[in-house]
Amino acid sequence: LQFSRVAFEPILVPFFVVWGLYFFLKSQDTPKWIYLTSLFFALSLYAYVGARFFVPLFAVLIFFLFRRQIMIMKKHVVLAAILFIIVLAPLLPSIASTGGRVGGTSIFNSPEPTRMVNEYRHQDFLSKNKFSVVFHNKPLLWAEGFFIGYMRHLSPTYLFAGDNQLNWRVGSSLGILYLFEFPLIVLVILKIIRTRSRVGFFLLGWALIAPIPAAFTTETPHPLRSIGGIPALSILSAWGLSEFLQVFRQRRVILYALGVLAVLNIANYFHFYYNH
């Protein structure tokens, strides 16, 4: 809602990715559906530049967890890959270009690492430190920047409370998910780890790879650049609600408390949305 109402084109990424995944699951029974998977994944790369990094990672995740099924329909997969390249052909010159929006937001083109390296090396030069290049170099700062940016996307305060990072995109004190979804997500993660569910690990992997493209940029956390993970978070939350209802089905007070919290959270969101 937050992104679609202001017509952000990246909202198309979850749409294309979900449909692509849906047809991939259908292809397990009827291999020809894999061609629609290829088509929708290719179209997602037209929707938003971040998808050009996310979708290949998503495809690798699918292959890793469903490689046996994929190898069974190897012929169709090869033809689907050819279709993917054909649909993507008009976009290839843009993808090959290193300029534009990607270059302007990338941590690799930020002047800050260069400034910091020069400053620290100058200080080491004055103190005659011979190991300055080991401790102060741009690859090390890039790795640090990526790690910090990635971890910010996994922060509970960012996901459930806003962390004062979202500005106009969502609103003060509001996160990507509602606060009442926090126990639901925790509960389902514990279940996935305990049962070693392949579907569960797939959903977690989906949610964990989504922030990778955003982590390579200078502004983090960034909900728009990690928008590909929204369906996974929604499914995990819904699964968590199902588990919550089963675990506490005899404890109505806890169920009512969650319901009241949900109503308050949703009312609070719409208050911010329409008034602030």
Side-chain angles (χ1 to χ4, degrees):
L1 176 65
Q2 189 70 28
F3 297 126
S4 62
R5 285 294 295 274
V6 287
F8 275 127
E9 66 276 13
I11 197 65
L12 291 170
V13 175
F15 173 81
F16 286 131
V17 167
V18 167
W19 276 108
L21 177 62
Y22 170 75
F23 287 117
F24 172 77
L25 296 175
K26 285 183 68 68
S27 72
Q28 308 303 296
D29 298 320
T30 308
K32 291 183 179 180
W33 287 113
I34 196 71
Y35 299 115
L36 284 178
T37 295
S38 179
L39 174 63
F40 278 105
F41 279 3
L43 291 175
S44 69
L45 272 64
Y46 283 90
Y48 185 51
V49 66
R52 302 173 191 177
F53 302 93
F54 166 71
V55 171
L57 292 173
F58 188 61
V60 170
L61 176 67
I62 291 175
F63 178 81
F64 179 75
L65 289 176
F66 298 94
R67 55 189 179 277
R68 291 183 181 178
Q69 295 89 329
I70 290 174
M71 294 308 295
I72 293 174
M73 52 180 181
K74 183 165 55 176
K75 176 183 176 181
H76 292 283
V77 171
V78 172
L79 293 176
I82 295 174
L83 173 64
F84 179 87
I85 295 173
I86 292 173
V87 175
L88 203 61
L91 192 64
L92 291 178
S94 176
I95 294 176
S97 173
T98 57
R101 181 64 175 163
V102 175
T105 60
S106 170
I107 58 175
F108 302 114
N109 291 332
S110 171
E112 187 63 15
T114 302
R115 185 194 67 79
M116 293 178 65
V117 167
N118 291 337
E119 180 178 339
Y120 288 137
R121 286 187 179 181
H122 177 67
Q123 293 172 3
D124 285 342
F125 172 77
L126 296 178
S127 61
K128 299 182 179 180
N129 190 320
K130 298 180 180 180
F131 300 98
S132 181
V133 68
V134 176
F135 298 105
H136 309 300
N137 55 77
K138 286 194 285 187
L140 193 61
L141 287 176
W142 288 335
E144 179 184 341
F146 169 81
F147 178 77
I148 293 174
Y150 181 81
M151 294 306 295
R152 282 175 176 169
H153 287 88
L154 304 183
S155 167
T157 52
Y158 163 72
L159 290 173
F160 301 100
D163 199 22
N164 295 321
Q165 294 287 340
L166 303 185
N167 303 318
W168 55 268
R169 293 184 181 90
V170 174
S172 176
S173 79
L174 297 172
I176 297 299
L177 301 173
Y178 290 114
L179 184 60
F180 77 86
E181 294 178 274
F182 178 71
L184 308 181
I185 296 289
V186 171
L187 187 63
V188 77
I189 290 176
L190 293 176
K191 178 181 176 60
I192 290 170
I193 294 174
R194 185 177 68 254
T195 60
R196 298 183 180 275
S197 166
R198 185 177 66 160
V199 172
F201 284 130
F202 171 72
L203 290 170
L204 288 177
W206 182 355
L208 290 173
I209 66 174
I212 291 178
F216 281 107
T217 61
T218 53
E219 184 183 351
T220 57
H222 201 294
L224 206 58
R225 293 171 187 160
S226 56
I227 198 170
I230 283 181
L233 294 174
S234 300
I235 296 170
L236 286 169
S237 180
W239 186 0
L241 177 60
S242 176
E243 292 297 317
F244 192 90
L245 294 175
Q246 292 183 39
V247 172
F248 297 104
R249 60 181 178 273
Q250 302 298 332
R251 301 181 182 180
R252 294 185 178 275
V253 174
I254 296 179
L255 297 179
Y256 291 150
L258 180 69
V260 170
L261 180 59
V263 170
L264 291 175
N265 283 171
I266 295 170
N268 181 53
Y269 167 72
F270 280 107
H271 170 78
F272 272 99
Y273 185 83
Y274 286 111
N275 294 283
H276 302 292

